[in-house]
């Protein structure tokens, strides 16, 4: 059960191509978002589809793989953990964000 703590598994499609940054230390960071869809029927029996967007962060080898093989519209399954962080914009505005730090990834659509 310890493996269930702060564990997220999602399947979705990329909303944009991965953005990759390489730091002075040699570490690589890839960021992109995926959309997950759910469907239900409301009280009137009408079909309603909802889309949720999730920000993903991949490091090093996974960042390399994402930059080589993933593009907008690709379907991917990911497993990782939720990370909440705060940052300050260039104008001094404080913001918070929630993202998924990806530990494992399976590409579901071809290159």
């Amino acid at each position: 059960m310890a493996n269930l703590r702060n564990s997220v598994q999602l399947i979705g499609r990329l909303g944009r191509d991965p953005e990759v940054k390489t730091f002075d230390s040699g570490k690589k960071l890839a960021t992109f978002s995926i959309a997950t869809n759910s469907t239900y029927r409301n009280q009137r029996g009408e079909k309603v589809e909802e889309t949720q967007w999730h920000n993903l962060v991949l490091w090093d080898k996974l960042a390399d793989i994402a930059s080589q093989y993933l593009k907008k519209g690709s379907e991917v399954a990911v497993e990782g953990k939720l990370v909440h962080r705060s940052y300050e914009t260039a104008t001094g505005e404080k913001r918070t964000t929630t993202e998924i730090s990806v530990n494992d990834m399976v590409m579901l659509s071809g290159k």
Side-chain angles (χ1 to χ4, degrees):
M1 289 297 257
N3 292 349
L4 295 177
R5 288 201 164 106
N6 195 8
S7 180
V8 177
Q9 296 177 348
L10 296 171
I11 296 175
R13 293 198 177 272
L14 274 72
R16 60 181 165 87
D17 292 346
E19 291 181 18
V20 180
K21 295 178 185 175
T22 303
F23 297 96
D24 293 338
S25 64
K27 288 184 74 90
K28 289 188 179 179
L29 167 69
T31 58
F32 57 90
S33 58
I34 63 170
T36 57
N37 298 313
S38 59
T39 306
Y40 65 92
R41 296 214 176 261
N42 64 15
Q43 290 180 342
R44 291 184 234 137
E46 301 165 332
K47 187 176 177 180
V48 178
E49 186 171 316
E50 288 184 345
T51 301
Q52 298 286 323
W53 287 95
H54 312 276
N55 296 318
L56 303 174
V57 174
L58 294 82
W59 291 95
D60 298 323
K61 186 66 175 168
L62 281 179
D64 279 336
I65 293 168
S67 68
Q68 286 181 327
Y69 297 105
L70 297 179
K71 62 181 188 228
K72 181 178 179 176
S74 298
E75 189 173 29
V76 66
V78 296
E79 184 276 325
K81 64 180 182 175
L82 283 176
V83 177
H84 304 285
R85 64 182 180 86
S86 299
Y87 64 96
E88 197 170 300
T89 65
T91 60
E93 183 180 356
K94 292 187 179 193
R95 294 196 177 174
T96 60
T97 186
T98 301
E99 50 201 16
I100 298 163
S101 179
V102 176
N103 299 324
D104 199 11
M105 174 180 69
V106 176
M107 294 174 285
L108 301 176
S109 51
K111 182 176 178 183

